[in-house]
Amino acid sequence: MAGFLQTPPALGDAWRDDRVLREALHFHLGDDAFAAAEPELAEMGALAVSPRVLGLARRAETEPPVHVPYSPWGRRVDEIRLSDAYVELGRIGVEAGVTALPYERSPLGERVRIAWAGLVALWGPSSALYTCPVAMTDGAARTLLQHGGPDDVAVVERLTSRDPGRAWTSGQWMTETAGGSDVGGTETIARVDERGRWRLTGTKWFTSSTTSEIALTLARPEGVAPGSRPLALFRVHRTLDDGSANGIVVRRLKDKLGTRALPTAELELDGALAHPVGDPRAGGGVRLIATMLNVTRIHNAIGSTAYLGRALAWARAYARVRRVGGRLLATMPAHRATLADLATDYAASMALVTRCCELMGAVEHGRADATDARVLRGLTPVTKLATARWGVAGVTEAMEAIGGVGYCEDSTIPAIVRNSHVNPIWEGTTNVLALDFLRAAQRDDALAALAHDCRDALARVRDDDAVAAPAALAAAALDELEARAARWDDDDRAQAGARSLALGLASTYACARLCLQGAWAARRGDVRTAAVATRLARRGLVPPEPPPDDGLGMDEPVSPQGASSARAVG
C-alpha cells in the first residue's frame, strides 16, 4: 500500500556545521593558531559523522561487553570480551590524538588544550563512550607526571601514544561500598609482602574501563589510622610482566542504564601487586588523585557539551525535513523558540568548557599565575555540574523535538539520552560538586577569584553596544550571588545554598564569557553570540535560594497508629 514516508534527517558535517564550536575555538585560539588547528579538526568533523563511524557506534551500543569467568577447562580467566566495533572506535581516537595531543610538542603551546577540546568534542558522541577510558588515561598521565617517579613517567609514554599497538588506557578505581563520594570509607588494604612489594586486598564496587592495562587506585596502608588522610595512591597493572593475572577477580559486569559499550565491573583485589605513587607511608593519596579527578571532570564537561551539541544537530536536521500542516517544522515559531533555548544552553556550556581548557593549558605549561589557578580550581566543579545538568535536560528536549521516532532505539537518539545521564553522577553529583566548590571558596578563595575574573570580562565590554545589556544583567547577578554567600552565617546554611550558588555562578560566568566572545564576533560582523548572551541573561541567571524549611524534602513515615510524626510546615 502506498503512503507517506518521512524523509529521514541527515547529520551535517560535525565541524563545518557547528558554528558554536568553531567560533569558540577561533575566539580562544586567535587567527593564526586557529588556522593551524583547523585541518585536523575538519578531518575529525567529517570522520565522526561518516556512515562507517556512525555504524560502528550503533553496533558497539548493541554489542555490550561479555564476562567470561572461566576457560573451557575450568581455569579462572576473567576475560572481558569487547565488541570489535568499540575497539575500532578507540583506535580511531588514539590515532587522532584524543589523549596524545596535549602531551606532544605543539606550535599551539599552552593553547593546545583548546584545540584538543574541540577534537574530543567532535569524536566523543560517535565513540560509544570510549571517551571514558580516554578521560581516565589523560588524568592518569597527568597525575603520574606530576606526582610519580621514573617508573611512572615511563608508563606515561604508553598512555600518551598515538600508536594503537603501543597505546595503553587507564582506569580509576576509587568507588567502594563503604566509600563512594566519601573516600574516607575506603576499605582496600595495602600490605608489604616478604619481598618488600605492595599488595592490595579489597573490593572495588564500580570500576569503569575495566579492560584498561593499568589503573590508579586508593588503598589504606596496613595499620594506619582511619579516615581519608592516610590513604595512599597506587598504580595497578591488570596483568603482570609475564602476562599472568595480577590477583584481580571480576565479580560481575554492571548492568547500567547507559554507557552499554563500556566495560564496568565489580572487582576483588586478591593480593594484587601495586606500585605506590609517592610515599605510601606519608598518606595524601586523596590529594594526589585529585589531579586525576580535575582532569576527568573537564573531560566530563566536554562530553556533556558534545552530546548536547550532537542532539541539537539531530533536532535541527529533523526540523529541516519534517512538515506539519504543510509547513516545515523549522519555520514554526514554537519549535524555533525551543531550539533557540537549546542552542543557548549549548553555547553557555561551550563557553565554560573552553575557558576551563584555556586555564588548564596555562597551568600545565607553567604560564598561569596564582589567580589563574584559583579560578580553575573553582571553575572546574562549577563547569562540570552545570554542563551535566544542562546536557541531560537538553538531550531529552531534543529527543522530544524529534518525536516518536526519536524514542526508538534504531534512531540512535535513546543512546545519546542514556549516555548523557551518567555525566551528573560520574566524577561527583551536583551536590557533591557544589560542596567541593564551597570548600574551594572557603579554603582557596575560589569564589572571590571567579567573581574577579567575571567582572574583568564584563568590564572589557560594558560599553560595547552589542552586549551592554546582558553584561549589565550579569554584573547584577554576580552582585546578588556574592551578597547571598555573605549572608550565610553557619555551615548548614552555606551547604543548603551551595547548589543554587554554583548553578548561578555557572550561568553568570558563562554569560560574561559569551559577552566577551559576542563582542569579538560582532566586530567581525556576526551578532549571533551576542544574541545568545542576551537570551541567557534575560532567562534569569540566579536560581532561587533553598526553601527555609528543608523538611519539604523528606516526609516522615506514618506511624503504626496512622499518625505522621512530621511537624507542620509553615
Side-chain angles (χ1 to χ4, degrees):
M1 177 182 291
F4 172 78
L5 290 175
Q6 173 64 51
T7 301
L11 283 178
D13 184 285
W15 171 250
R16 188 183 63 240
D17 291 357
D18 193 335
R19 179 193 63 84
V20 169
L21 176 59
R22 285 187 290 102
E23 185 185 284
L25 297 190
H26 196 170
F27 170 67
H28 284 89
L29 290 170
D31 292 340
D32 292 342
F34 180 77
E38 186 169 22
E40 196 169 8
L41 293 165
E43 181 180 359
M44 177 55 79
L47 179 62
V49 294
S50 66
R52 180 174 77 90
V53 170
L54 292 178
L56 289 170
R58 282 193 296 271
R59 189 154 63 82
E61 290 283 353
T62 60
E63 298 173 356
V66 175
H67 175 214
V68 181
Y70 296 99
S71 75
W73 298 98
R75 184 183 300 277
R76 185 84 193 205
V77 292
D78 279 322
E79 178 186 357
I80 297 176
R81 295 177 182 169
L82 303 176
S83 167
D84 65 293
Y86 181 73
V87 174
E88 177 64 10
L89 291 168
R91 184 195 65 77
I92 291 169
V94 165
E95 290 183 338
V98 292
T99 304
L101 184 59
Y103 297 89
E104 298 170 337
R105 290 186 179 275
S106 169
L108 297 178
E110 68 189 80
R111 291 176 292 178
V112 70
R113 278 288 184 184
I114 300 166
W116 160 84
L119 188 68
V120 175
L122 291 165
W123 171 75
S126 301
S127 73
L129 256 291
Y130 206 96
T131 44
C132 177
V134 164
M136 294 185 290
T137 301
D138 188 1
R142 184 57 55 187
T143 300
L144 295 176
L145 282 176
Q146 190 165 330
H147 304 297
D151 290 343
D152 296 307
V153 173
V155 169
V156 172
E157 188 275 328
R158 302 295 294 266
L159 298 176
T160 59
S161 174
R162 287 194 190 223
D163 178 2
R166 285 192 55 76
W168 285 358
T169 57
S170 174
Q172 176 184 301
W173 299 351
M174 291 181 62
T175 305
E176 301 189 6
T177 53
S181 58
D182 181 13
V183 295
T186 296
E187 295 178 334
T188 298
I189 299 298
R191 297 181 175 89
V192 179
D193 68 14
E194 67 281 357
R195 296 173 57 184
R197 301 174 302 180
W198 287 92
R199 300 278 184 174
L200 305 187
T201 302
T203 302
K204 295 297 180 179
W205 181 245
F206 216 97
T207 66
S208 288
S209 188
T210 313
T211 52
S212 290
E213 286 79 6
I214 73 161
L216 298 190
T217 188
L218 295 174
R220 189 178 305 281
E222 190 172 31
V224 303
S228 61
R229 288 182 182 274
L231 293 176
L233 179 61
F234 292 89
R235 167 171 53 88
V236 181
H237 290 231
R238 185 163 48 86
T239 60
L240 300 175
D241 291 343
D242 62 4
S244 61
N246 185 23
I248 301 171
V249 177
V250 179
R251 290 171 54 165
R252 62 172 173 168
L253 292 177
K254 295 289 194 181
D255 186 8
K256 301 163 291 180
L257 170 69
T259 68
R260 293 179 177 177
L262 173 70
T264 306
E266 296 171 22
L267 299 180
E268 293 280 358
L269 304 181
D270 185 15
L273 181 66
H275 309 273
V277 180
D279 180 2
R281 295 297 186 187
V286 174
R287 176 182 58 82
L288 300 182
I289 207 168
T291 300
M292 187 177 197
L293 292 175
N294 287 326
V295 172
T296 51
R297 283 173 175 171
I298 291 174
H299 274 267
N300 186 296
I302 295 171
S304 296
T305 303
Y307 267 119
L308 176 53
R310 177 64 62 85
L312 177 59
W314 273 119
R316 285 170 166 166
Y318 182 70
R320 292 187 181 107
V321 297
R322 176 63 174 167
R323 290 186 177 273
V324 179
R327 293 180 61 180
L328 281 174
L329 201 54
T331 68
M332 302 185 76
H335 199 71
R336 290 174 68 87
T338 298
L339 296 186
D341 275 328
L342 282 183
T344 298
D345 290 342
Y346 179 44
S349 296
M350 188 65 71
L352 293 176
V353 162
T354 49
R355 178 58 171 158
C356 275
C357 291
E358 181 179 45
L359 292 167
M360 183 184 188
V363 168
E364 290 177 348
H365 284 76
R367 300 293 296 274
D369 59 22
T371 299
D372 291 333
R374 286 199 301 274
V375 171
L376 181 60
R377 171 67 183 93
L379 189 59
T380 297
V382 165
T383 295
K384 190 275 177 184
L385 72 86
T387 55
R389 296 197 66 79
W390 296 340
V392 166
V395 299
T396 306
E397 187 75 71
M399 181 170 68
E400 181 182 340
I402 296 170
V405 174
Y407 192 65
C408 295
E409 289 290 344
D410 54 5
S411 74
T412 74
I413 306 303
I416 293 175
V417 174
R418 285 196 306 270
N419 290 343
S420 294
H421 272 75
V422 76
N423 289 328
I425 299 171
W426 178 44
E427 302 305 11
T429 63
T430 306
N431 282 349
V432 166
L433 288 163
L435 294 175
D436 181 55
F437 173 73
L438 185 62
R439 286 191 296 272
Q442 294 168 341
R443 300 175 185 175
D444 303 321
D445 217 14
L447 174 57
L450 265 180
H452 180 273
D453 194 56
C454 191
R455 285 200 173 89
D456 178 67
L458 294 170
R460 291 156 64 183
V461 296
R462 64 187 171 195
D463 296 324
D464 192 302
D465 290 342
V467 295
L473 291 171
L478 189 60
D479 289 343
E480 164 59 24
L481 290 166
E482 287 192 297
R484 181 181 294 184
R487 292 194 295 269
W488 294 339
D489 50 13
D490 59 49
D491 285 344
D492 283 356
R493 191 172 179 187
Q495 288 187 30
R499 182 188 184 103
S500 62
L501 175 69
L503 288 167
L505 274 171
S507 295
T508 303
Y509 192 90
C511 187
R513 298 300 302 181
L514 287 171
C515 285
L516 201 60
Q517 181 181 324
W520 171 86
R523 291 192 293 271
R524 292 168 169 254
D526 191 336
V527 298
R528 286 174 290 184
T529 297
V532 166
T534 301
R535 176 58 183 164
L536 179 62
R538 288 179 176 169
R539 288 191 321 193
L541 298 171
V542 181
E545 293 191 76
D549 191 332
D550 58 12
L552 293 171
M554 293 292 293
D555 282 342
E556 296 294 332
V558 176
S559 69
Q561 291 75 29
S564 173
S565 60
R567 60 188 175 87
V569 176

